[in-house]
């Protein structure tokens, strides 16, 4: 039994304040961490909140959290097989913001913005500006979902859906909750990982009020990301009655190691979270240096299985364009 207490955050900036205060200048990052950085323009700028920076080790250019956010020259190399739309999302038609690829589930691209720019992100070239949703767009989405009884689950994604403010999220969840055939509303988010204070009272209020099953899929790649403040935030979500799962991306030089992944699974479980997917990298231009091949991925899962209960072993998966589900390779 875990006893959850609310700590006094009154002296810290709100999550919005922390977003504003995020580090965007590589020179500033270099000063804070005492490292050298390359001066390059990748077209996908540095963005990292200070609370995430604080979990990196000073003076270590190979820090696994730093590698996920620091622009490097190798991103500019063009590699065969890598594209700007690796999972063929940009050609999908339907109401604005909707991606209906799999049976029973629809995904909504709620916003283009994120609290952190992850170098390996498969949506780093996504034309988000053409996807901003107006009030009418939302209305059209509700009508589409209400008119299709085969849809039981709505996945709010992005960008990061928790970039929307709690007033908007409260309205979206109550509109969705009014659709009888929906059972589940799912959020895919990395925001609380980089700013744990995003799990604030206003968020817990609409979470508590929602009559549908809520699922939060967090995106944590390395055990060093899971510090006390993040564990605390995740336990609050769990205590709200939500299901909390985690997905990771398998990244060379970050988490391609059985001991690291095993440690992550154990730490997630202590924070009330179960591992869900371990994704192979989508072949997005600029991220080739993170690639771990399928054979190595399967080997890692076998090593994890040897040391963990089955429920702490994630499924190794990849996104295949035009397939009826994500392709599960092992796990
Ligand atoms: C990943 C994804 C889903 C959810 O798939 P699950 O296997 O249910 O997690 C749904 N729609 C799209 C477009 C996706 O990319
Ligand atoms: S938070 Fe998610 S969507 Fe945003 S840049 Fe990172 S991986 Fe991509």
């Amino acid at each position: 039994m875990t006893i959850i207490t609310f700590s006094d955050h009154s002296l810290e900036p709100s999550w919005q304040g922390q977003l504003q205060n995020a580090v965007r200048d590589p020179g500033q990052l270099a000063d804070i961490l005492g490292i050298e950085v390359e001066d390059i323009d990748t077209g996908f700028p540095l963005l990292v909140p200070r609370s995430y920076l604080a979990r990196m080790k000073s003076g270590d250019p190979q820090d696994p959290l730093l590698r996920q956010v620091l622009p490097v020259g190798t991103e500019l190399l063009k590699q065969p097989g890598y594209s700007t739309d690796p999972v063929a999302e940009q050609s999908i038609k339907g109401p604005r913001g909707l991606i209906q690829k799999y049976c029973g589930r629809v995904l909504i691209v709620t916003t283009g913005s994120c609290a952190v720019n992850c170098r390996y992100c498969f949506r780093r070239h996504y034309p988000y500006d053409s996807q901003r949703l107006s009030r009418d767009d939302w209305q059209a989405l509700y009508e589409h979902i209400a008119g299709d009884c085969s849809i039981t689950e709505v996945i709010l994604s992005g960008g990061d859906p928790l970039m929307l403010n709690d007033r908007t999220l409260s309205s979206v969840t109550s509109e969705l909750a009014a659709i009888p055939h929906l059972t589940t509303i799912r959020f895919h988010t990395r925001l609380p990982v980089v700013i744990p204070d995003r799990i604030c009272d206003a968020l817990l209020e609409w979470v508590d009020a929602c009559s549908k099953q809520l699922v939060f899929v967090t995106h944590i790649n390395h055990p060093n990301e899971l510090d006390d403040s993040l564990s605390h935030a995740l336990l609050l979500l769990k205590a709200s009655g939500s299901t909390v799962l985690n997905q990771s991306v398998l990244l060379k030089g970050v988490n391609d190691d059985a001991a690291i992944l095993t440690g992550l699974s154990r730490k997630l479980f202590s924070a009330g979270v179960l591992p869900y997917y371990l994704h192979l990298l989508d072949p997005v231009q600029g991220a080739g240096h993170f690639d771990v091949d399928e054979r190595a991925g399967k080997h890692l899962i076998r090593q994890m299985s040897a040391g963990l209960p089955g429920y702490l072993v994630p499924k190794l998966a990849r996104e295949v364009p035009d397939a009826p589900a994500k392709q599960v390779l092992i796990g």
Side-chain angles (χ1 to χ4, degrees), residues 57-87:
K57 197 159 141 241
S58 286
D60 180 4
Q62 300 307 322
D63 181 273
L65 278 55
L66 177 66
R67 287 178 65 101
Q68 295 180 55
V69 300
L70 182 67
V72 291
T74 42
E75 291 178 34
L76 299 173
L77 298 174
K78 290 243 169 19
Q79 284 176 283
Y82 282 73
S83 85
T84 55
D85 182 18
V87 299

Side-chain angles (χ1 to χ4, degrees), residues 51-56 63-66 68-69 116 118 120 190 192-196 218-231 234 246-249 251 254-255 260 264 267-268:
S51 52
Y52 190 70
L53 257 181
R55 290 169 245 170
M56 297 175 190
D63 181 273
L65 278 55
L66 177 66
Q68 295 180 55
V69 300
V116 55
C118 309
Y120 53 84
R190 185 151 161 81
V193 179
V194 294
I195 304 178
T218 58
H219 177 174
I220 304 171
N221 295 320
H222 191 283
N224 292 3
E225 292 173 279
L226 231 176
D227 65 355
D228 288 347
S229 65
L230 178 54
S231 295
L234 294 169
N246 182 65
Q247 64 176 24
S248 308
V249 179
L251 299 166
V254 174
N255 61 7
I260 289 172
L264 175 60
K267 235 171 154 176
L268 285 168

